[in-house]
Amino acid sequence: MIQLSIFPLKVPPVCSLSLGGVMSEAKTPTPTPPGDTYKGWVFKWTNYIKGYQRRWFVLSNGLLSYYRTQAEMGHTCRGTINLATATITVDDACNFVISNGGAQTYHLKASCEVERQRWITALELAKAKAVRMQAESDDSGDDFPSSSPRITQGGGSQNSEVQSALRTLSNKVEDLSTCNDLISKHGSALQRSLAELDGLRLTGEAGDKIRQVTERATLFRITSNAMINACRDFLTLAQTHSKRWQKALQAEREQRVRLEETLEQLAKQHNHLERAFRGAAQANASPDNKGAAGPGKGEASDEDDDNEFFDAMEEAPEFITVPADPQFHKRSSSNISGLNSELCADDQSLNEEPLAMNQESPSQELVPLKKRRTRIPDKPNYSLNLWSIMKNCIGKELSKIPMPVNFNEPISMLQRLSEDLEYHELLDKAAKCQNSLEQMCYVAAFAVSAYSTTVYRTGKPFNPLLGETYELDRKRESGYRSLCEQVSHHPPAAAHHAISDRGWTLRQEITVASKFRGKYLSIMPLGTIHAVFEKSNNHYTWKKVNTTVHNIIVGKLWIDQSGEIDVVNHTTGDRCHLKFAPYSYFSRDVARKVTGVVMDKDGKAHYVLSGTWDEKMEFSKVMQSSRGGENGTEGKQKTVYQTLKARELWRRNPLPDGAETMYYFTALALTLNEPEEGVAPTDSRRRPDQRLMEEGRWDEANAEKQRLEEKQRTARREREREAASQRTSSQSEEGAPHDSYLALWFERCEDPITGEEIHIYKGGYWEAKERGSWESCPNIF
């Protein structure tokens, strides 16, 4: 008999199991560092203004993430792309592109060709591994046991124990494989020897013994083959299940790491918010503090501009307000009481005045007022993929992009412009003021109040058709009436004229420019607003600030107003400088804050204004002003104003019940699109697509909107052909406009105050309404 001694065997391993559950292979050297992580600086394309910007990229576990700086790795990831579903293409010597099918595309540039090749190699290897792991997960995901190994905070020690057990198992499998080879080899040799003995043709007892040994060797060979097959099956089963278990363990470990990173990031954000809240609570004991008005910081995932409003640091105030000394109260008690009594008298006279009475014809008191509607149909719950529509609009002028009505609210821009008169009573009070500086306070409050209706209004008004008009006749209720007309289409411009029986006139021509920046939408109103008071002949002008709609792609939409306004009295030279502070997480001030100072023509401050553009405005009389200390950051001196107790100028009206289902319309906005008899055929109330949207028939509204836009384009092409034929037939081509459209109720002329070319109301509309003759109105609907 042949004695086999096979344990322990010192032979080279046939196979080995790694933590990844795959056979180890000899790999060619790559530029990637040890491990599965590759880091470095790469230039990333941001936008056409800033071009390529340097970003810190991290490649790990098949995911490519980037940050603005290395310090951001602990709390803020700007974007991540999964290489398993991505394509990697090379543009030129240093540029390469990574895209996952349209949702995400990174245009990158390395510092040199060698660095680019290192990144391409690392990315391709990471992509191959991610694809392989995804395929293995798809093949074996359903075979996993119902319970997975639990990895706790002591997961490090458990992981080492698992690795040790896997190494032992791998060694045993190698030993079994070696035994398999030896048994096959020696079994074959034994069979050959027995065959040779059998060939000697021995007789008698020796032959019987040889036959017995042959039979036993045959049985041994059959048993050995069965054992070999069982070992082979065990080897295959061990390799397959070790892969699956290792895949499950690795997935659990990566998930635990991601959860730990997420918890760490949330803890940091919670700490920031807590500090900001405590600071705001200490600095503002008033319950009007709205420190949580903005979005969560975690909603920002990518960068488009370094000027992100929620990342802005708190700006130092331009001036400081402190209560005046008691001596000022005593010394000027008569003046102060006179001012208060005058203001109280104004308020009382306005509150007691019957709003339904026309001052020119008291007999109209007996005519009942029209009952306005207080509800409109609820907004339908339509789902819409915003990114699928907006992804091709980045950097474009929004007014030139056809949008479905899903983005709109059921009023036009002309009606939204008429909403500036929501708080017309401020102009009524200003008309009664004897002092121009006090009048300036009310005019400034009116300029701020126009933004209070936008705080929740994230819908886009309908773009008016060329020649479209809108009248708002509130003469019997409030003493004023206004008219708007769309006087230009490219660029879109609307002219507005309002006149009140209480002694004031308001006119403006506003052109709205808008740009979609990816994460937010910027709206820049262009044009000047004029307010003229009949009694004092004071003429005021101001412009609007910029509006920003945040979280266009991800998160909840919210609106911010930021910028500066100068309200100027061209008659007296008085001026009020208003500042709309942009929202900041780190500011201790209330959100949406507005501050201002009313000064005379000599620059002396008389009133300080403060408040928020969505809630209220207050004013305080300045008794003394002085220069404060140096500002440590900018080296500028702050002005300290000693003021009397603040008085309320304006407060926002509460929204109607159920406003959240009615586009957050105010009480006035609910009545703007109410059908009314006698209006012009071009009035926005008669616009069919807008009416269909208000009724909740959005599909029909979209079809009607496309029809009206195509009709407008056809009319414009016809006007251009007529203008071209007139130019060719006459020799005077001097500066003829490309579109020869002339407004119906407004005429273009030079503004005597600002020198701008604007449209001013030329009259005739209300007379035409009295006669009921609208023959001159074009058929635009």
Side-chain angles (χ1 to χ4, degrees), residues 199-381:
L200 295 177
R201 303 287 182 182
L202 296 177
T203 59
E205 185 177 357
D208 294 336
K209 292 293 185 182
I210 290 175
R211 280 191 293 274
Q212 290 177 4
V213 171
T214 302
E215 292 174 356
R216 291 176 180 177
T218 302
L219 292 175
F220 175 78
R221 181 176 182 179
I222 293 172
T223 306
S224 297
N225 287 336
M227 186 190 72
I228 289 170
N229 291 333
C231 289
R232 185 179 294 112
D233 294 338
F234 172 78
L235 176 62
T236 304
L237 187 66
Q239 290 176 343
T240 302
H241 280 279
S242 64
K243 288 180 181 180
R244 295 174 182 173
W245 279 105
Q246 279 303 301
K247 178 68 175 177
L249 289 173
Q250 185 67 15
E252 289 287 338
R253 181 176 178 276
E254 291 173 354
Q255 185 175 5
R256 185 198 67 183
V257 172
R258 286 195 297 269
L259 288 174
E260 289 176 349
E261 293 174 351
T262 302
L263 288 174
E264 181 182 0
Q265 183 176 353
L266 289 175
K268 291 180 179 179
Q269 294 176 2
H270 181 72
N271 189 24
H272 284 312
L273 291 174
E274 265 192 340
R275 288 204 303 268
F277 179 79
R278 286 197 298 268
Q282 293 173 2
N284 303 281
S286 170
D288 291 329
N289 187 3
K290 298 177 283 300
K297 188 173 181 178
E299 294 172 356
S301 60
D302 194 1
E303 98 288 1
D304 181 76
D305 199 342
D306 290 333
N307 276 334
E308 294 179 338
F309 290 100
F310 45 82
D311 287 337
M313 298 303 293
E314 180 181 2
E315 296 183 3
E318 296 180 350
F319 57 86
I320 301 174
T321 305
V322 297
D325 294 337
Q327 59 178 339
F328 289 107
H329 290 272
K330 295 178 181 179
R331 187 171 58 191
S332 58
S333 58
S334 59
N335 296 334
I336 299 169
S337 61
L339 171 64
N340 291 340
S341 62
E342 180 184 349
L343 293 175
C344 292
D346 285 349
D347 294 343
Q348 184 177 6
S349 62
L350 288 172
N351 292 334
E352 292 179 353
E353 181 181 352
L355 295 180
M357 181 182 67
N358 188 324
Q359 295 177 352
E360 297 178 358
S361 54
S363 60
Q364 290 189 8
E365 263 186 298
L366 304 176
V367 180
L369 297 177
K370 180 179 178 180
K371 186 176 182 181
R372 304 288 178 179
R373 67 181 183 180
T374 58
R375 285 199 62 82
I376 60 173
D378 290 347
K379 177 182 179 181
N381 187 15

Side-chain angles (χ1 to χ4, degrees), residues 114-252:
V114 175
E115 183 65 21
R116 188 216 64 186
Q117 189 57 43
R118 289 177 181 173
W119 273 104
I120 293 295
T121 304
L123 291 169
E124 292 289 358
L125 291 174
K127 177 184 176 180
K129 182 176 180 181
V131 171
R132 186 169 61 250
M133 293 179 68
Q134 185 176 18
E136 291 174 357
S137 175
D138 295 339
D139 293 339
S140 60
D142 296 336
D143 298 331
F144 284 164
S146 58
S147 61
S148 300
R150 185 179 180 185
I151 300 179
T152 60
Q153 290 184 349
S157 60
Q158 291 189 13
N159 196 27
S160 60
E161 292 176 3
V162 171
Q163 291 179 359
S164 176
L166 287 173
R167 282 194 296 270
T168 302
L169 178 61
S170 178
N171 293 333
K172 295 300 181 183
V173 171
E174 291 171 5
D175 293 342
L176 286 175
S177 180
T178 305
C179 290
N180 182 6
D181 295 338
L182 291 175
I183 288 175
S184 298
K185 177 181 177 181
H186 292 297
S188 299
L190 178 60
Q191 288 294 100
R192 286 195 302 269
S193 299
L194 291 174
E196 292 172 359
L197 288 176
D198 189 56
L200 295 177
R201 303 287 182 182
L202 296 177
T203 59
E205 185 177 357
D208 294 336
K209 292 293 185 182
I210 290 175
R211 280 191 293 274
Q212 290 177 4
V213 171
T214 302
E215 292 174 356
R216 291 176 180 177
T218 302
L219 292 175
F220 175 78
R221 181 176 182 179
I222 293 172
T223 306
S224 297
N225 287 336
M227 186 190 72
I228 289 170
N229 291 333
C231 289
R232 185 179 294 112
D233 294 338
F234 172 78
L235 176 62
T236 304
L237 187 66
Q239 290 176 343
T240 302
H241 280 279
S242 64
K243 288 180 181 180
R244 295 174 182 173
W245 279 105
Q246 279 303 301
K247 178 68 175 177
L249 289 173
Q250 185 67 15
E252 289 287 338

Side-chain angles (χ1 to χ4, degrees), residues 43-110:
F43 291 90
K44 178 181 179 294
W45 176 263
T46 56
N47 53 49
Y48 285 100
I49 298 177
K50 296 193 173 182
Y52 284 96
Q53 296 292 318
R54 198 172 74 148
R55 298 290 182 260
W56 180 256
F57 278 80
V58 177
L59 173 61
S60 178
N61 297 323
L63 300 176
L64 181 65
S65 306
Y66 74 96
Y67 312 83
R68 284 192 179 174
T69 61
Q70 292 175 263
E72 281 192 347
M73 291 179 60
H75 56 84
T76 304
C77 177
R78 298 290 172 172
T80 301
I81 192 169
N82 189 352
L83 294 179
T85 58
T87 58
I88 305 170
T89 57
V90 178
D91 279 355
D92 52 29
C94 296
N95 293 17
F96 56 102
V97 180
I98 304 173
S99 175
N100 62 357
Q104 287 177 295
T105 301
Y106 294 166
H107 295 267
L108 307 177
K109 181 171 69 173

Side-chain angles (χ1 to χ4, degrees), residues 342 346 349-350 353 427-434 535:
E342 180 184 349
D346 285 349
S349 62
L350 288 172
E353 181 181 352
L427 296 180
D428 295 342
K429 294 179 180 180
K432 290 198 169 187
C433 288
Q434 303 295 328
K535 184 178 178 180

